[in-house]
Coordinates of all heavy atoms in Angstrom, one line a residue:
M44 N 8.0 12.0 -7.4 CA 7.0 11.0 -7.7 C 6.0 10.9 -6.5 O 6.4 11.0 -5.4 CB 7.6 9.6 -7.9 CG 8.3 9.4 -9.2 SD 8.9 7.7 -9.5 CE 10.3 7.7 -8.4
P45 N 4.8 10.7 -6.8 CA 3.8 10.6 -5.7 C 3.9 9.2 -5.0 O 4.3 8.3 -5.6 CB 2.4 10.8 -6.5 CG 2.7 10.3 -7.8 CD 4.1 10.6 -8.1
M46 N 3.4 9.3 -3.8 CA 3.3 8.0 -3.0 C 1.9 7.5 -3.0 O 1.0 8.3 -3.0 CB 3.7 8.3 -1.5 CG 5.1 8.7 -1.3 SD 6.2 7.3 -1.0 CE 5.8 7.1 0.7
Y47 N 1.8 6.2 -3.1 CA 0.5 5.6 -3.1 C 0.4 4.7 -1.9 O 1.4 4.0 -1.6 CB 0.3 4.9 -4.4 CG 0.2 5.8 -5.6 CD1 1.3 6.1 -6.3 CD2 -1.0 6.4 -5.9 CE1 1.2 6.9 -7.4 CE2 -1.1 7.2 -7.0 CZ 0.0 7.5 -7.7 OH -0.1 8.4 -8.8
Q48 N -0.8 4.6 -1.3 CA -1.0 3.6 -0.2 C -1.7 2.4 -0.7 O -2.7 2.6 -1.5 CB -1.8 4.3 0.9 CG -1.0 5.4 1.6 CD -1.8 5.9 2.8 OE1 -3.0 6.3 2.6 NE2 -1.2 6.0 3.9
Y49 N -1.3 1.3 -0.3 CA -2.0 0.1 -0.6 C -2.4 -0.7 0.6 O -1.7 -0.6 1.6 CB -1.1 -0.8 -1.5 CG -0.8 -0.3 -2.9 CD1 0.2 0.7 -3.0 CD2 -1.5 -0.7 -3.9 CE1 0.4 1.2 -4.3 CE2 -1.3 -0.2 -5.2 CZ -0.3 0.8 -5.4 OH -0.1 1.3 -6.6
T50 N -3.4 -1.5 0.5 CA -3.7 -2.4 1.5 C -3.8 -3.8 1.0 O -4.3 -4.1 -0.1 CB -5.1 -2.1 2.1 OG1 -5.1 -0.8 2.7 CG2 -5.5 -3.1 3.2
C51 N -3.1 -4.7 1.6 CA -3.1 -6.1 1.2 C -4.3 -6.8 1.7 O -4.6 -6.8 2.9 CB -1.9 -6.8 1.7 SG -1.9 -8.6 1.3
K52 N -5.1 -7.5 0.8 CA -6.3 -8.1 1.3 C -6.0 -9.5 1.8 O -6.8 -10.1 2.4 CB -7.2 -8.2 0.1 CG -7.9 -6.9 -0.2 CD -9.1 -7.0 -1.1 CE -8.7 -7.0 -2.5 NZ -9.9 -7.0 -3.4
C53 N -4.8 -10.0 1.7 CA -4.4 -11.3 2.2 C -4.1 -11.2 3.7 O -4.6 -11.9 4.5 CB -3.2 -11.9 1.5 SG -3.6 -12.2 -0.3
C54 N -3.1 -10.3 4.0 CA -2.7 -10.2 5.4 C -3.1 -8.9 6.1 O -2.9 -8.7 7.2 CB -1.2 -10.4 5.5 SG -0.2 -9.1 4.7
G55 N -3.7 -8.0 5.3 CA -4.2 -6.8 5.9 C -3.2 -5.7 6.1 O -3.5 -4.7 6.7
V56 N -2.0 -5.9 5.7 CA -1.0 -4.9 6.0 C -1.2 -3.7 5.0 O -1.7 -3.8 3.9 CB 0.4 -5.5 5.8 CG1 0.8 -5.7 4.3 CG2 1.5 -4.7 6.5
N57 N -0.8 -2.5 5.5 CA -0.8 -1.3 4.7 C 0.6 -1.0 4.3 O 1.5 -1.1 5.2 CB -1.4 -0.2 5.5 CG -2.9 -0.4 5.8 OD1 -3.6 -1.0 5.1 ND2 -3.3 0.0 7.0
F58 N 0.8 -0.6 3.1 CA 2.2 -0.2 2.7 C 2.1 0.9 1.7 O 1.0 1.2 1.1 CB 2.9 -1.4 2.2 CG 2.4 -2.1 1.0 CD1 2.8 -1.8 -0.3 CD2 1.3 -3.0 1.1 CE1 2.3 -2.4 -1.4 CE2 0.8 -3.6 0.0 CZ 1.3 -3.3 -1.3
E59 N 3.2 1.5 1.5 CA 3.3 2.7 0.6 C 4.3 2.4 -0.5 O 5.2 1.7 -0.3 CB 3.8 3.9 1.3 CG 2.9 4.3 2.5 CD 3.5 5.4 3.3 OE1 4.6 5.9 2.9 OE2 2.9 5.8 4.3
K60 N 4.0 2.9 -1.7 CA 4.9 2.8 -2.8 C 5.0 4.1 -3.4 O 4.1 4.9 -3.6 CB 4.3 1.8 -3.8 CG 4.4 0.3 -3.4 CD 5.8 -0.2 -3.8 CE 5.9 -1.7 -3.6 NZ 7.2 -2.3 -4.0
R61 N 6.2 4.4 -3.8 CA 6.5 5.6 -4.5 C 6.6 5.2 -6.0 O 7.5 4.5 -6.4 CB 7.8 6.3 -4.1 CG 7.9 7.7 -4.6 CD 9.3 8.2 -4.2 NE 9.4 8.3 -2.7 CZ 9.1 9.4 -2.0 NH1 8.6 10.4 -2.6 NH2 9.2 9.4 -0.7
L62 N 5.7 5.7 -6.8 CA 5.6 5.2 -8.1 C 5.5 6.3 -9.2 O 5.0 7.4 -8.9 CB 4.3 4.3 -8.3 CG 4.2 3.1 -7.4 CD1 2.8 2.5 -7.6 CD2 5.2 2.1 -7.8
R63 N 5.9 6.0 -10.3 CA 5.7 6.9 -11.4 C 4.2 6.8 -11.8 O 3.5 5.8 -11.5 CB 6.5 6.5 -12.7 CG 7.9 6.5 -12.5 CD 8.6 5.8 -13.7 NE 10.0 5.6 -13.4 CZ 11.0 6.5 -13.6 NH1 10.6 7.7 -14.0 NH2 12.2 6.3 -13.3
M64 N 3.7 7.8 -12.4 CA 2.3 7.8 -12.8 C 2.0 6.6 -13.7 O 0.9 6.0 -13.6 CB 2.0 9.1 -13.7 CG 1.9 10.3 -12.8 SD 0.6 10.2 -11.6 CE 0.6 11.9 -11.0
S65 N 2.9 6.2 -14.5 CA 2.7 5.1 -15.5 C 2.6 3.8 -14.7 O 2.1 2.8 -15.2 CB 3.8 5.0 -16.5 OG 5.0 4.9 -15.9
Q66 N 3.2 3.7 -13.5 CA 3.1 2.5 -12.7 C 2.0 2.4 -11.8 O 1.7 1.4 -11.2 CB 4.4 2.3 -11.9 CG 5.7 2.2 -12.8 CD 6.9 2.2 -11.9 OE1 7.1 3.2 -11.1 NE2 7.7 1.2 -12.0
A67 N 1.3 3.5 -11.6 CA 0.3 3.6 -10.5 C -0.9 2.7 -10.7 O -1.5 2.3 -9.8 CB -0.1 5.1 -10.4
S68 N -1.1 2.4 -12.0 CA -2.3 1.5 -12.2 C -2.0 0.0 -12.1 O -2.8 -0.8 -12.2 CB -2.9 1.8 -13.6 OG -1.9 1.6 -14.6
Q69 N -0.7 -0.3 -11.9 CA -0.3 -1.7 -11.8 C -0.5 -2.2 -10.4 O -0.4 -1.5 -9.5 CB 1.2 -1.8 -12.2 CG 1.4 -1.4 -13.7 CD 2.9 -1.4 -14.0 OE1 3.7 -1.8 -13.2 NE2 3.2 -0.9 -15.2
T70 N -0.7 -3.5 -10.4 CA -0.8 -4.1 -9.0 C 0.5 -4.2 -8.4 O 1.5 -4.6 -9.0 CB -1.4 -5.5 -9.2 OG1 -2.7 -5.4 -9.8 CG2 -1.5 -6.2 -7.9
Q71 N 0.6 -3.8 -7.1 CA 1.8 -3.9 -6.4 C 1.8 -5.0 -5.4 O 0.9 -5.1 -4.6 CB 2.1 -2.6 -5.6 CG 2.1 -1.4 -6.5 CD 3.3 -1.5 -7.6 OE1 4.4 -1.9 -7.2 NE2 3.0 -1.1 -8.8
P72 N 2.7 -5.9 -5.5 CA 2.7 -7.1 -4.6 C 3.0 -6.6 -3.1 O 3.7 -5.7 -2.9 CB 3.8 -8.0 -5.1 CG 4.7 -7.1 -5.9 CD 3.9 -6.0 -6.4
C73 N 2.4 -7.4 -2.2 CA 2.5 -7.1 -0.8 C 3.9 -7.4 -0.3 O 4.4 -8.4 -0.6 CB 1.5 -7.9 0.0 SG 1.7 -7.9 1.7
P74 N 4.5 -6.4 0.4 CA 5.9 -6.7 0.9 C 5.9 -7.7 2.0 O 7.0 -8.2 2.4 CB 6.3 -5.3 1.4 CG 5.1 -4.6 1.7 CD 4.0 -5.1 0.7
E75 N 4.8 -7.9 2.6 CA 4.8 -8.9 3.8 C 4.6 -10.3 3.3 O 5.3 -11.2 3.7 CB 3.6 -8.5 4.7 CG 3.9 -7.2 5.5 CD 5.0 -7.5 6.6 OE1 5.0 -8.6 7.1 OE2 5.8 -6.6 6.8
C76 N 3.6 -10.5 2.5 CA 3.2 -11.9 2.1 C 3.5 -12.2 0.7 O 3.3 -13.3 0.2 CB 1.8 -12.2 2.5 SG 0.6 -11.4 1.5
G77 N 3.8 -11.1 -0.1 CA 4.1 -11.3 -1.5 C 2.8 -11.5 -2.3 O 2.9 -11.7 -3.5
G78 N 1.6 -11.3 -1.7 CA 0.4 -11.5 -2.4 C 0.1 -10.4 -3.4 O 0.6 -9.3 -3.3
Q79 N -0.5 -10.8 -4.5 CA -0.9 -9.8 -5.5 C -2.2 -9.2 -5.3 O -2.7 -8.3 -6.0 CB -0.9 -10.5 -6.9 CG 0.4 -11.1 -7.3 CD 1.4 -10.1 -7.8 OE1 1.0 -9.1 -8.4 NE2 2.7 -10.3 -7.5
D80 N -2.9 -9.6 -4.2 CA -4.2 -9.2 -4.0 C -4.2 -7.9 -3.1 O -4.6 -7.9 -2.0 CB -5.0 -10.3 -3.3 CG -6.5 -10.0 -3.4 OD1 -6.9 -9.0 -4.1 OD2 -7.3 -10.8 -2.8
T81 N -3.7 -6.9 -3.7 CA -3.6 -5.6 -3.0 C -4.5 -4.6 -3.6 O -4.8 -4.7 -4.8 CB -2.2 -5.1 -3.0 OG1 -1.7 -4.9 -4.3 CG2 -1.2 -6.0 -2.2
R82 N -4.9 -3.6 -2.8 CA -5.8 -2.6 -3.3 C -5.2 -1.2 -3.0 O -4.8 -1.0 -1.9 CB -7.2 -2.8 -2.6 CG -8.2 -1.9 -3.3 CD -9.6 -2.1 -2.7 NE -9.6 -1.8 -1.3 CZ -10.6 -2.0 -0.5 NH1 -11.7 -2.6 -1.0 NH2 -10.6 -1.7 0.8
K83 N -5.2 -0.4 -4.0 CA -4.8 0.9 -3.8 C -5.8 1.8 -3.0 O -7.0 1.7 -3.3 CB -4.5 1.6 -5.2 CG -3.8 3.0 -5.0 CD -3.2 3.4 -6.3 CE -4.2 3.5 -7.4 NZ -3.6 4.1 -8.6
R84 N -5.3 2.4 -2.0 CA -6.2 3.3 -1.2 C -6.3 4.6 -1.9 O -5.5 5.0 -2.8 CB -5.7 3.4 0.2 CG -5.7 2.0 0.9 CD -4.8 2.0 2.0 NE -5.4 2.7 3.1 CZ -4.6 3.1 4.2 NH1 -3.4 2.8 4.3 NH2 -5.2 3.7 5.2
L85 N -7.2 5.4 -1.5 CA -7.6 6.6 -2.2 C -6.4 7.6 -2.2 O -5.8 7.9 -1.2 CB -8.8 7.3 -1.5 CG -10.1 6.6 -1.8 CD1 -11.2 7.5 -1.3 CD2 -10.3 6.5 -3.3
G86 N -6.1 8.1 -3.4 CA -5.2 9.2 -3.5 C -3.8 9.0 -3.2 O -3.4 8.0 -2.6
A87 N -3.0 9.9 -3.5 CA -1.6 9.9 -3.1 C -1.5 10.6 -1.8 O -2.4 11.4 -1.4 CB -0.8 10.7 -4.2
I88 N -0.4 10.3 -1.1 CA -0.3 10.9 0.3 C 0.1 12.3 0.3 O -0.2 13.0 1.2 CB 0.7 10.0 1.1 CG1 0.3 8.6 1.0 CG2 0.7 10.5 2.5 CD1 1.3 7.7 1.8
A89 N 0.8 12.7 -0.7 CA 1.5 14.0 -0.7 C 0.5 15.2 -0.7 O 0.7 16.2 -1.4 CB 2.4 14.1 -1.8
V90 N -0.6 15.1 0.0 CA -1.5 16.2 0.1 C -1.2 17.0 1.3 O -0.4 16.7 2.2 CB -3.0 15.6 0.2 CG1 -4.0 16.6 -0.4 CG2 -3.1 14.3 -0.6
T91 N -1.9 18.1 1.5 CA -1.6 19.0 2.6 C -2.3 18.5 3.9 O -3.1 17.7 3.9 CB -2.2 20.4 2.3 OG1 -3.5 20.3 1.8 CG2 -1.3 21.0 1.2
G92 N -1.9 19.2 4.9 CA -2.2 19.0 6.3 C -3.2 18.0 6.8 O -2.9 17.1 7.5
A93 N -4.5 18.2 6.4 CA -5.6 17.6 7.2 C -5.7 16.1 7.0 O -6.7 15.6 6.7 CB -6.9 18.2 6.8
T94 N -4.6 15.4 7.2 CA -4.7 13.9 7.2 C -4.9 13.3 8.6 O -4.0 13.4 9.4 CB -3.5 13.3 6.5 OG1 -2.4 14.1 6.8 CG2 -3.7 13.2 5.0
T95 N -6.0 12.8 8.8 CA -6.3 12.2 10.1 C -6.3 10.7 10.0 O -6.7 10.0 10.9 CB -7.6 12.7 10.7 OG1 -8.6 12.5 9.7 CG2 -7.6 14.1 11.0
T96 N -5.9 10.2 8.8 CA -5.9 8.7 8.6 C -4.8 8.1 9.5 O -3.9 8.8 9.9 CB -5.6 8.4 7.2 OG1 -4.5 9.1 6.8 CG2 -6.8 8.7 6.3
T97 N -5.0 6.9 9.8 CA -4.1 6.2 10.7 C -2.7 6.0 10.0 O -2.7 5.9 8.8 CB -4.6 4.8 11.1 OG1 -5.0 4.1 9.9 CG2 -5.8 4.9 12.0
T98 N -1.7 6.1 10.7 CA -0.4 5.9 10.2 C -0.1 4.5 9.8 O -0.8 3.6 10.2 CB 0.7 6.4 11.2 OG1 0.4 5.9 12.4 CG2 0.8 7.9 11.1
V99 N 0.9 4.3 9.0 CA 1.1 3.0 8.4 C 2.0 2.1 9.3 O 2.5 1.1 8.9 CB 1.7 3.2 7.0 CG1 1.6 1.9 6.2 CG2 1.1 4.4 6.3
S100 N 2.3 2.6 10.5 CA 3.2 1.9 11.3 C 2.7 0.6 11.9 O 3.4 -0.2 12.3 CB 3.7 2.8 12.5 OG 2.6 3.3 13.2
A101 N 1.4 0.5 12.0 CA 0.8 -0.6 12.6 C 1.2 -1.9 11.8 O 1.2 -1.9 10.6 CB -0.7 -0.5 12.6
A102 N 1.4 -2.9 12.5 CA 1.7 -4.2 11.9 C 0.7 -5.2 12.2 O 0.8 -5.9 13.2 CB 3.1 -4.7 12.3
P103 N -0.4 -5.3 11.5 CA -1.4 -6.2 11.8 C -1.0 -7.7 11.6 O 0.1 -7.9 11.2 CB -2.5 -5.8 10.8 CG -1.8 -5.2 9.7 CD -0.6 -4.5 10.3
A104 N -1.9 -8.5 11.8 CA -1.6 -10.0 11.8 C -0.9 -10.4 10.4 O -1.4 -10.0 9.4 CB -2.9 -10.8 11.9
R105 N 0.1 -11.1 10.6 CA 0.8 -11.6 9.4 C 0.1 -12.9 8.9 O -0.9 -13.3 9.5 CB 2.2 -11.9 9.7 CG 3.1 -10.7 9.9 CD 4.3 -11.0 10.7 NE 5.1 -9.8 10.9 CZ 6.1 -9.4 10.1 NH1 6.5 -10.2 9.1 NH2 6.8 -8.3 10.4
S106 N 0.7 -13.4 7.9 CA 0.1 -14.7 7.4 C 0.1 -15.7 8.6 O 1.1 -15.8 9.3 CB 1.0 -15.2 6.3 OG 0.8 -16.5 6.0
P107 N -0.9 -16.5 8.7 CA -1.0 -17.5 9.7 C 0.1 -18.6 9.5 O 0.2 -19.4 10.4 CB -2.4 -18.1 9.6 CG -2.8 -17.7 8.2 CD -2.1 -16.4 7.9
F108 N 0.8 -18.6 8.4 CA 1.7 -19.7 8.1 C 3.1 -19.3 8.5 O 4.1 -20.0 8.2 CB 1.6 -20.1 6.7 CG 0.2 -20.6 6.3 CD1 -0.6 -19.8 5.5 CD2 -0.2 -21.8 6.8 CE1 -1.8 -20.2 5.2 CE2 -1.5 -22.2 6.5 CZ -2.3 -21.5 5.7
T109 N 3.3 -18.1 9.0 CA 4.7 -17.7 9.4 C 5.0 -18.2 10.8 O 4.2 -18.1 11.7 CB 4.9 -16.2 9.3 OG1 3.9 -15.5 10.0 CG2 4.9 -15.8 7.8
Ligands
ZN270 ZN1 0.0 -9.3 2.4

C-alpha cells in the first residue's frame, strides 16, 4: 500500500498514513489534535531517490490548549 503525507491545518503537524487506494480520498484525522482539517500533500512517498523534502520528524507547535 502506498504511503500518503498529510498536513494538519490546525496544529501544522505532518504525518503519514499508509492507505489503500480506496481510502486515499478520505479525510484522515490528525494524530496530534484529532482535527479533521488535514490536507493530503502531493503524491505518495514511495517514489525514487530525489526527495529533498523535509522529513516528518519535526514536531511543530502543538495545540495551544495542551
Ligand atoms: Zn492537528
